[in-house]
Amino acid sequence: MRNRSHWATDTFIRCPLSMGGAEEMHGWTVKMSTPGVLAVVTFFSMIPGGVLSDMGCTQGLEAPQFAQGSTHLHRRLKRGWIWKQLFVPEEDPTPRVIGQIKSDSDRGEFSIKYILSGEGAGDAFAINEDSGEIRTLKKLDREEKAFYVLQAQAINRRSNEPEEPQSEFIIKVQDINDNAPQFLNEPYVSSIPEMCPTGTTVAQVTATDADDPMFGNNAKLLYSILQGEPYFSVEPKTGIIVTSWSDMDREAREQYLVVVQVKDMLGLSGGYSASTTVTVSLTDVNDNGPMFQHHLYTFSVPENAAVGTTVGRIMAEDGDIGINARMTYTLNDDLEGTSTFIITTDPVTQEGVVLLAQPLDYEAKRRFVMAAEAANDHVDTRFLTLDDFTDKTTLKIIVDDVDEPPAFLSAVYEWKVPENAAVGTVLGSVSARDTDAVSNPIRYSLDKRSDSTKAFKMDPNNGTITVVRALDRETANWHNVTVEAKETTQNHLSSSVVVFIKVLDINDNVPRLARDYQPYICEGTQAGEFIQLLSAVDADEPVEGHHFYFSMVPDKHINPNFTIRDNQDNTAGILARRSTFTRKDRTQYFLPVVVTDSGSPALSSTSTLTISVCSCQPAGHCPTGGVEALALSMGVSLQTLLGMFVCLVTLTVLSVLMLVVRRHRRKQQGGQSVEVKEQELELPETVSQKVLYYGGGGAELDFCQPVVPLRHHPRRRERRLRREDVRASIRMSLRESHLIGPEDDVFKQFILDRLADADQDPYVPPFDCLRIYAYEGSGSPAGSLSSLDSSVVEFVPEQPVCNPRPPLVRLTPWYGEEDTTF
């Protein structure tokens, strides 16, 4: 290694820069500035001696060799070079040389080229490729990056081959105090119980410093109190805040603000500092008892106040809060009137609420004096004695007089009176009095709305109620009347009471049968058979209940037909005495029945029952109404009665039909007469000249049909059907009435016979006139059954068509004359 003229300022340390073997080892020369040497000395001073003894570069015997410029190394085969760190101060804005490396092969002929690579090479650090000087390029921040790892290499410019193996070294950024400490987890809030002893831990504050804690005092922190003394103190190194004042009272002060400061550099001047605030709250303990502010509380309440009315409120002050301030109020019984009032605790305000427990009466008691006590629900004997958790005061309650309405001696009245009580009977009397100190006169009256029957009367002076109208339990068994008592003073205060009057029953109604019985007996009934069960009713209601007795009317002779058997359960049965009941002999029997009650005196009634003799059905049923019952009453069979009914209906229909036909003919005859022109329609004899003329009244008609002369109709004469035909028709209708129908052969034959009669008789109307009152059928495609269609009518044309207009036919009477009638 070559000596330099500036050795006074620079120091050269020759150490191997690579780990080599014992056979071949090349060396590097590292030149460092004086600050770097100081840093190295400081660094080695912190390393134990055992480590220094093993280092590749020693300061013992080898140091004179460096001073004399010896180029021979004292090689240690044990290990190679370990000196691999350079130092640069942080935050230095001026670029400067921090060191120089030289290869042993460098003879100053610029034949060696130095190359620097690794972290920060070319950005933060640069190397002079000729001289090997390493310099900084910018300001460095240790807190951003504390060290850089770089590699150095020496290249022979001629051969471009490495002169030395590549070696790695570290440039470490030297720390300066450029960061202030900072508190973590802000804001700080803590709570401690009041009255806690000195030294109680409140909280711990923690601060950090970004500077290097291993280099100098830059990151050595110290805590102190700026605000909060003498109540609190802080441990300088740990930041633990503790109490330094005993008996801190929450009721005096509930919250404290403690300001803690932290400094680096162990608090020396030139360092940085920071502060934080800790909010300390005192929690409550039960160290205060209740205390009344007054020794006497006075209240007033009207005498008519309802039970449960709030009379007043009292309050015992307690400096505590929450559960420690809860208290219970009581009324002591060492004075008077504790049962008239009660006291409860308001859960929200912790006040004592005095309530009325019993009705008041000014005339009976006008003043109440009581002792009230308040006691904490939860006590803590660490701070107070048991007696300190209670306090007492006196309550005085004045009752105010109120003008009250009259008060009845009884809340309700109930009287009984028999229903036969005479008019003027006294039922009883009501009484009311004025409870005020000044007793006012009272008058009584009945509420007219409650006495709708107007059966009672009240004396307004003494409250006596009498009967003024006859009572009837069966009409109304209870009377609820309202009596009003009113003062005669100016206020006219009144009150009312209800009087219940029960009407007692007496035996004043006769018993009677429960319903209108209609018993019957069949023709085949045997002697002793049961016919009818009887029961009775009575409007009265005896206390022991009803008991009825059934019997027959007393007579000299025993009834030979029926007897009555009393079942002793308020029912009786009618029995037959003989077996020879027939409708031919007699259809009805009358049986008087006597019903007697058990009243005192006993009342009875007689009812006569009509027992009918019936031709009963096989099951014993006897028709009681309708056609069947009518037939039985007439003594004919049901089939015979139905036949007679059908015959009667048929005659009625025929009569109505003939009447309608007559009215229709008269209406046609009253119309305008029609002149028959030269064209006439001649019908065959089979049609019997039953002709209808069609057309409008008075209009001239041109017919294209041949003219057929009509037979002159003789003058009107009465015609009657043959009696034999009518009888035969009626007989056939009655015989076959239950079988008639459109598909029945008898029905079809009947229609054909009537059609033949109409065709053969020129004096009867067309059968259509009767058919509309008979069975229409279900609709036949054959059309009408009129006699006009029953015969074939042939028209012989005599003249050609003379008029192309459609023909019009006028409806005229059957024989074309106005005076023709049927």
Side-chain angles (χ1 to χ4, degrees), residues 191-202 231-232 242-250 256 280-285 287 382-383:
S191 62
I192 57 174
E194 62 173 331
M195 311 300 290
C196 62
T198 303
T200 301
T201 300
V202 177
Y231 304 102
F232 303 95
V242 296
T243 59
S244 57
W245 187 274
S246 60
D247 301 334
M248 284 190 292
D249 190 3
R250 187 201 63 82
Y256 295 85
V280 182
S281 300
L282 298 182
T283 59
D284 184 61
V285 298
D287 58 343
R382 294 178 303 170
F383 308 103

Side-chain angles (χ1 to χ4, degrees), residues 163-174:
E163 289 291 339
E164 302 286 349
Q166 180 177 318
S167 63
E168 184 178 81
F169 64 97
I170 297 174
I171 299 178
K172 189 172 183 181
V173 181
Q174 184 178 354

Side-chain angles (χ1 to χ4, degrees), residues 443-461:
R443 292 184 65 84
Y444 303 93
S445 62
L446 284 178
D447 189 349
K448 296 180 180 180
R449 294 173 296 181
S450 63
D451 185 19
S452 59
T453 60
K454 302 187 183 322
F456 306 100
K457 180 182 179 182
M458 166 159 279
D459 189 328
N461 297 318

Side-chain angles (χ1 to χ4, degrees), residues 113-275:
K113 178 181 178 181
Y114 297 96
I115 299 175
L116 185 66
S117 62
E119 296 178 340
D123 178 27
F125 307 99
I127 189 171
N128 190 321
E129 62 180 13
D130 296 328
S131 63
E133 291 181 343
I134 301 174
R135 65 173 55 247
T136 59
L137 299 179
K138 65 178 181 179
K139 180 174 62 174
L140 302 179
D141 187 4
R142 190 203 66 84
E143 286 72 36
E144 181 179 350
K145 190 172 180 60
F147 59 89
Y148 297 84
V149 179
L150 298 99
Q151 293 81 32
Q153 191 174 13
I155 304 297
N156 190 302
R157 292 181 183 272
R158 296 182 181 87
S159 63
N160 203 23
E161 294 292 333
E163 289 291 339
E164 302 286 349
Q166 180 177 318
S167 63
E168 184 178 81
F169 64 97
I170 297 174
I171 299 178
K172 189 172 183 181
V173 181
Q174 184 178 354
D175 182 53
I176 64 173
N177 190 16
D178 59 343
N179 291 277
Q182 294 182 350
F183 281 98
L184 304 177
N185 305 321
E186 290 185 305
Y188 293 95
V189 178
S190 179
S191 62
I192 57 174
E194 62 173 331
M195 311 300 290
C196 62
T198 303
T200 301
T201 300
V202 177
Q204 182 178 13
V205 295
T206 303
T208 60
D209 196 321
D211 294 326
D212 190 359
M214 303 301 295
F215 185 78
N217 295 325
N218 295 339
K220 300 295 176 55
L221 305 179
L222 194 67
Y223 299 92
S224 62
I225 288 284
L226 293 183
Q227 178 182 327
E229 293 178 339
Y231 304 102
F232 303 95
S233 61
V234 64
E235 293 289 339
K237 294 182 179 181
T238 61
I240 298 176
I241 303 173
V242 296
T243 59
S244 57
W245 187 274
S246 60
D247 301 334
M248 284 190 292
D249 190 3
R250 187 201 63 82
E251 289 73 32
R253 184 176 179 181
E254 187 174 358
Q255 192 177 79
Y256 295 85
L257 298 179
V258 180
V259 179
V260 180
Q261 184 184 55
V262 62
K263 286 184 177 183
D264 58 9
M265 299 294 290
L266 292 177
L268 300 176
S269 61
Y272 293 97
S273 66
S275 63

Side-chain angles (χ1 to χ4, degrees), residues 505-650:
D505 183 50
I506 63 171
N507 193 21
D508 59 344
N509 292 276
V510 297
R512 56 184 178 84
L513 293 178
R515 59 184 178 88
D516 184 16
Y517 293 100
Q518 295 181 356
Y520 66 90
I521 185 172
C522 297
E523 290 182 329
T525 301
Q526 300 297 320
E529 286 191 16
F530 176 81
I531 298 176
Q532 180 69 53
L533 180 67
L534 305 178
S535 61
V537 293
D538 194 335
D540 296 323
E541 290 186 0
V543 178
E544 298 81 6
H546 288 291
H547 188 77
F548 300 109
Y549 304 94
F550 299 86
S551 63
M552 301 178 66
V553 177
D555 199 355
K556 297 180 181 180
H557 304 284
I558 299 176
N559 192 320
N561 301 315
F562 307 100
T563 184
I564 295 178
R565 183 176 64 191
D566 196 332
N567 298 327
Q568 300 299 319
D569 60 352
N570 292 338
T571 63
I574 301 176
L575 305 178
R577 276 185 175 272
R578 60 185 180 87
S579 306
T580 58
F581 294 98
T582 61
R583 290 182 57 83
K584 294 181 180 180
D585 297 338
R586 191 171 178 179
T587 60
Q588 291 182 345
Y589 292 88
F590 298 100
L591 178 64
V593 178
V594 179
V595 182
T596 306
D597 61 17
S598 57
S600 180
L603 300 180
S604 64
S605 66
T606 302
S607 301
T608 301
L609 300 179
T610 301
I611 303 177
S612 302
V613 180
C614 178
S615 298
C616 298
Q617 300 294 335
H621 167 66
C622 180
T624 59
V627 178
E628 187 178 5
L630 179 61
L632 291 177
S633 64
M634 295 176 63
V636 296
S637 64
L638 180 62
Q639 292 78 5
T640 303
L641 186 62
L642 289 177
M644 295 175 60
F645 179 73
V646 172
C647 181
L648 180 62
V649 171
T650 304

Side-chain angles (χ1 to χ4, degrees), residues 408 442-447 458 482-486 494-497:
F408 284 92
I442 297 174
R443 292 184 65 84
Y444 303 93
S445 62
L446 284 178
D447 189 349
M458 166 159 279
T482 301
V483 178
E484 183 182 29
K486 181 181 295 185
S494 64
S495 59
S496 60
V497 70

Side-chain angles (χ1 to χ4, degrees), residues 662 665-666 669 713-719 763 819-822:
R662 282 180 176 274
R665 284 178 23 182
R666 288 177 182 177
Q669 291 175 1
H713 187 273
R715 292 192 176 274
R716 178 181 179 184
R717 63 187 181 89
E718 296 291 332
R719 179 188 179 278
Y763 300 103
D819 58 346
T820 58
T821 58
F822 176 69

Side-chain angles (χ1 to χ4, degrees), residues 334-404:
D334 56 342
L335 298 178
E336 54 186 345
T338 55
S339 61
T340 308
F341 302 91
I342 60 175
I343 188 170
T344 61
T345 303
D346 190 324
V348 178
T349 62
Q350 293 298 309
E351 292 178 307
V353 183
V354 182
L355 303 175
L356 180 63
Q358 293 181 2
L360 299 174
D361 187 4
Y362 173 81
E363 289 71 28
K365 192 175 184 61
R366 304 181 182 182
R367 187 181 66 172
F368 295 86
V369 179
M370 295 162 288
E373 182 180 87
N376 278 137
D377 295 341
H378 303 275
V379 298
D380 192 344
T381 55
R382 294 178 303 170
F383 308 103
L384 299 175
T385 63
L386 289 176
D387 294 338
D388 294 331
F389 290 104
T390 60
D391 195 19
K392 294 183 179 180
T393 188
T394 303
L395 298 182
K396 184 178 181 181
I397 301 176
I398 306 299
V399 180
D400 297 333
D401 186 25
V402 177
D403 190 7
E404 298 174 304

